[in-house]
Amino acid sequence: MPCGDAESERKTCREAGGDDMELHEAADIFRHFAVDADVCGCEAFGNGNINTTYRVRCTDGKSYTLQRINTVVFPDPDALMKNIVGVTGFLGEKLKKSGRDPEREALHIVPCREGGYYYTDKGGKCWRVCLFVDRATAYDAADRPGLLYEAARMFGSFQRDLNDYPAAELYEVIPDFHHTGKRYLAFEEAVRRDAAGRAEQIPQEIAALRRYASRATLITDRLEAGSIPTRVTHNDTKLNNVLIDETTGKGVCVIDLDTVMPGSLLYDFGDSVRFAANNGAEDDTDLSRIWLDLDRYREYLSGFLAGVQDSITGDERELLPMSVFILTYELALRFATDYLNGDTYFRIRYPEHNLVRTRAQIRLMEDIDGKLDRMAQIVREECGK
Ligand code: GN1
Ligand code: MG
């Protein structure tokens, strides 16, 4: 067996957090996928807040990503997988035409032996498999030079590459995903219902979130009015959703395509900067570490502009700084809503996790608010280059 003995692999799999899974359980699921090799290792993998991910090692020397789809968040896995297969196929063709490697630079989804692209087990859980991209890493923090530029360039090119994708073919797997105004209404509803009896613990957070309600629809109003274009966007552009080559430091491939849907370029830019230019972590418990690092913002901006090239419009450019504020505000609303609802959406790693996340995003949002003028100046400087 080329990849470690079964006993120790099983141990790793059970201890690595996430949901437990025995090696034989992984093998039972995996045999439904069109791979002609046996499973010899399985470990919990990654830091996602929604799906549960494992790395499966096979006797053919290859690794695969096995994921349990969270069907509470994605109730229509058929539509979800059609979106992903459509987009990865489209990107793969473009890569092939330009002489690049579609197996490494676009996600490669493995079909089921029975047909389709996901397997439903006897307990009703839905699973999918894709090729694991070797020698590439997803980073949780922008702690090495050049990393942010590359990540930003990758997300920018991802969007440009999908510019001519037939958007009408995409299902809206989570309707109004980045409709911040509707996120605000859901937050108010959660305060009113107070399902977990937590509203009275967080009066300051509720007040801070209410203070900015008038900004919630700044992007969606412009989309609805047609003054900024609706595009095919990734919608979950965290730094750890792009793989970076371990040898060259260059971007390899954009991953986590669950939320690819029609949206605004500003969603992808704003959400990415929110995560990657924060001096602290998304769920930092030390609020003094949380602030928007303008150097990182500049680096991200310049990479993103290099990626999208001339496909960005003047109105979009003008809204870039505000998009960082709005996407941070939106996630603060979402974390607070989930905390008030009793932690039903995001995976939490300890009981107060959603509250810690809410506070961290509020701190970041307030810091961004004080830096909007400087951020606009940086846009002018980078665009004038
Ligand atoms: C979720 O699964 P993950 O960690 O890539 C969430 C994003 C949030 C993010 C916050 C489908 O993404 O919208 O920004 O957590 N994805 C979904 O960490 O809700
Ligand atoms: Mg995701």
Side-chain angles (χ1 to χ4, degrees):
M1 205 181 268
C3 60
D5 73 284
E7 201 49 47
S8 64
E9 292 286 357
R10 172 158 55 233
K11 208 161 157 251
T12 322
C13 199
R14 292 189 73 85
E15 285 177 353
D19 292 6
D20 284 349
M21 180 149 64
E22 300 278 359
L23 190 62
H24 72 86
E25 293 174 86
D28 270 356
I29 297 161
F30 200 76
R31 69 187 166 77
H32 292 275
F33 291 87
V35 175
D36 290 324
D38 292 325
V39 171
C40 62
C42 165
E43 67 211 54
F45 195 80
N47 285 329
N49 291 329
I50 306 294
N51 300 312
T52 310
T53 308
Y54 302 90
R55 177 180 180 170
V56 164
R57 295 168 200 271
C58 282
T59 47
D60 62 358
K62 287 189 184 168
S63 284
Y64 297 84
T65 302
L66 170 68
Q67 246 182 351
R68 175 150 71 82
I69 301 170
N70 178 333
T71 46
V72 175
V73 172
F74 300 109
D76 186 349
D78 243 331
L80 178 75
M81 292 314 291
K82 277 184 184 143
N83 276 0
I84 295 176
V85 169
V87 164
T88 50
F90 183 86
L91 292 175
E93 283 305 314
K94 279 202 173 175
L95 288 165
K96 254 191 254 164
K97 275 186 200 142
S98 56
R100 310 229 307 269
D101 178 359
E103 280 212 348
R104 190 165 168 78
E105 296 182 52
L107 275 189
H108 184 79
I109 314 292
V110 178
C112 290
R113 293 189 193 280
E114 297 92 347
Y117 287 92
Y118 70 95
Y119 161 69
T120 310
D121 70 17
K122 289 187 201 79
K125 291 178 184 158
C126 293
W127 300 89
R128 66 181 170 201
V129 166
C130 66
L131 258 185
F132 186 90
V133 182
D134 281 316
R135 293 168 285 108
T137 302
Y139 291 88
D140 287 316
D143 50 12
R144 54 176 64 201
L147 176 61
L148 264 190
Y149 181 92
E150 268 310 290
R153 192 184 57 77
M154 291 297 288
F155 283 128
S157 342
F158 179 84
Q159 199 165 105
R160 187 168 44 89
D161 285 343
L162 290 176
N163 238 345
D164 50 345
Y165 188 82
E169 283 180 14
L170 283 173
Y171 296 91
E172 206 179 348
V173 284
I174 305 182
D176 298 319
F177 189 59
H178 282 309
H179 195 300
T180 316
K182 291 190 183 171
R183 296 290 190 183
Y184 180 76
L185 295 179
F187 158 73
E188 284 293 1
E189 177 61 12
V191 175
R192 197 191 60 74
R193 284 183 56 238
D194 196 16
R198 292 170 167 175
E200 68 173 22
Q201 295 168 22
I202 58 162
Q204 286 176 353
E205 288 76 12
I206 293 174
L209 291 169
R210 285 182 170 154
R211 209 166 293 137
Y212 293 99
S214 64
R215 290 193 193 169
T217 59
L218 280 178
I219 297 177
T220 48
D221 284 349
R222 304 286 289 270
L223 277 176
E224 281 156 27
S227 62
I228 55 172
T230 298
R231 305 170 180 276
V232 174
T233 46
H234 182 280
N235 297 310
D236 188 8
T237 45
K238 287 203 300 199
L239 182 64
N240 54 18
N241 279 336
V242 61
L243 299 179
I244 305 291
D245 191 291
E246 281 161 12
T247 320
T248 62
K250 294 277 175 211
V252 178
C253 142
V254 170
I255 59 171
D256 194 354
L257 306 183
D258 290 332
T259 49
V260 172
M261 285 182 282
S264 165
L265 165 152
L266 297 165
Y267 298 157
D268 283 2
F269 179 79
D271 200 37
S272 228
V273 174
R274 167 195 76 70
F275 185 88
N278 179 1
N279 176 68
E282 184 178 271
D283 55 357
D284 221 309
T285 47
D286 179 355
L287 294 182
S288 72
R289 281 199 294 248
I290 297 179
W291 41 272
L292 187 92
D293 181 329
L294 288 172
D295 292 332
R296 290 193 195 177
Y297 166 75
R298 186 189 289 276
E299 184 181 341
Y300 191 90
L301 175 68
S302 99
F304 191 78
L305 291 172
V308 293
Q309 295 183 7
D310 55 4
S311 63
I312 187 168
T313 71
D315 283 1
E316 286 173 324
R317 217 177 279 142
E318 208 173 288
L319 282 164
L320 288 171
M322 184 52 86
S323 76
V324 183
F325 175 88
I326 290 176
L327 272 288
T328 308
Y329 178 42
E330 179 184 289
L331 193 61
L333 288 168
R334 293 177 63 197
F335 284 147
T337 303
D338 201 31
Y339 184 66
L340 292 166
N341 287 344
D343 309 312
T344 58
Y345 185 92
F346 294 103
R347 171 174 298 131
I348 52 166
R349 291 164 178 96
Y350 53 90
E352 302 283 277
H353 201 170
N354 272 322
L355 179 56
V356 166
R357 288 163 164 160
T358 304
R359 289 184 173 144
Q361 294 303 299
I362 290 176
R363 167 57 69 96
L364 182 61
M365 156 189 113
E366 290 174 343
D367 185 65
I368 294 166
D369 190 40
K371 290 178 174 162
L372 287 170
D373 287 344
R374 269 180 289 162
M375 290 163 76
Q377 177 59 32
I378 292 173
V379 171
R380 286 190 289 276
E381 287 164 14
E382 289 302 312
C383 289
K385 273 185 180 169

